[in-house]
Amino acid sequence: MVDAQTGEPAQEPDWLTDEEKAAWVPLAAMLVKLPPALDAQVQRDIGANHFEYGVLAHLSEAPGRTLRLRELAARTNGSLSRLSHVVKRLEQRGWISRKPSPDDTRYANVVLTDAGWDAVVKAAPGHVATVRRFVIDPLSATQLRYLRSISTRIVDQFDTDEAERDQR
C-alpha cells in the first residue's frame, strides 16, 4: 500500500482484534438503531426530535427553567452552532425564549416557556418508556453500572479532544 499524498509506503492500520471487533459491532448497531427509536417517540408525542426534546428536558430541570446558552450546549452535548439552530426552531414554536443574561448582557439565557413545559410533560412518559424498553430493562443492575462507566469514559474522550482543540 502507498500513501496517496506522500507516495511513501502506507503504515498498516491498527486493525481491531476479534475481541475488539466483537465489542465494536454491536455498539455500532446500537448507535444506528437507538437514535431513530428515540426520535420516533418524541416525533409522535410532540413533533420534535430527540435532541430538541433533550434541550427542553434540560431546561425543565434547571433552576428557573433557565440556562446560559453555553451551559445548555454542554448539557446537551451539542455544539453552539447546532444549539443555536435548535433554539431558533424551538423559539418559533413558542417553547423557549432567549433573554440577555442579567449578570452579563454579552451572554444569552435560554428560558423554557409554559408551552415548552407542557411539551416536556407530554413527551416525558413516552420518552422514559422508550429508554426503559431499549436501554434500561434489558440490563441488570450490574450491567447498568458498567454501561454508565463505559459511556462516561467514551464521552470523556470527546470532551478531552474538544478541550485540546480549544487550547490550540
Side-chain angles (χ1 to χ4, degrees):
M1 241 189 220
V2 175
D3 185 299
Q5 293 178 341
T6 65
E8 300 290 320
Q11 191 172 10
E12 187 69 19
D14 187 13
W15 299 111
L16 298 179
T17 65
D18 289 343
E19 187 172 337
E20 291 167 338
K21 189 174 178 182
W24 167 247
V25 170
L27 174 61
M30 181 186 70
L31 294 172
V32 170
K33 291 180 176 192
L34 187 57
L38 296 169
D39 276 341
Q41 172 272 312
V42 179
Q43 185 66 43
R44 267 190 320 270
D45 289 354
I46 61 171
N49 64 43
H50 186 251
F51 186 78
E52 292 166 336
Y53 172 77
V55 168
L56 299 174
H58 283 288
L59 287 168
S60 77
E61 296 171 349
R65 299 183 193 166
T66 302
L67 288 170
R68 187 173 276 177
L69 192 61
R70 185 173 292 283
E71 174 65 17
L72 185 56
R75 289 188 188 194
T76 59
N77 295 298
S79 67
L80 281 173
S81 174
R82 179 180 188 193
L83 187 60
S84 292
H85 292 293
V86 169
V87 164
K88 185 176 181 180
R89 282 196 308 270
L90 297 176
E91 271 184 308
Q92 290 169 347
R93 295 186 78 166
W95 289 351
I96 62 172
S97 63
R98 265 188 276 210
K99 297 183 178 173
S101 171
D103 302 334
D104 189 339
T105 56
R106 294 176 296 167
Y107 298 103
N109 283 344
V110 182
V111 181
L112 184 69
T113 65
D114 289 342
W117 173 261
D118 291 344
V120 172
V121 168
K122 185 175 181 181
H127 176 70
V128 75
T130 302
V131 170
R132 282 197 166 286
R133 177 179 175 207
F134 291 114
V135 180
I136 305 300
D137 291 347
L139 302 178
S140 69
T142 300
Q143 289 171 323
L144 281 173
R145 285 191 296 278
Y146 286 141
L147 177 64
R148 177 182 178 183
S149 175
I150 291 165
S151 299
T152 300
R153 186 156 186 156
I154 291 171
V155 168
D156 285 351
Q157 294 305 303
F158 291 98
D159 294 342
T160 300
D161 286 353
E162 288 169 8
E164 288 174 1
R165 275 195 306 274
D166 289 348
Q167 290 176 354
R168 288 183 213 158

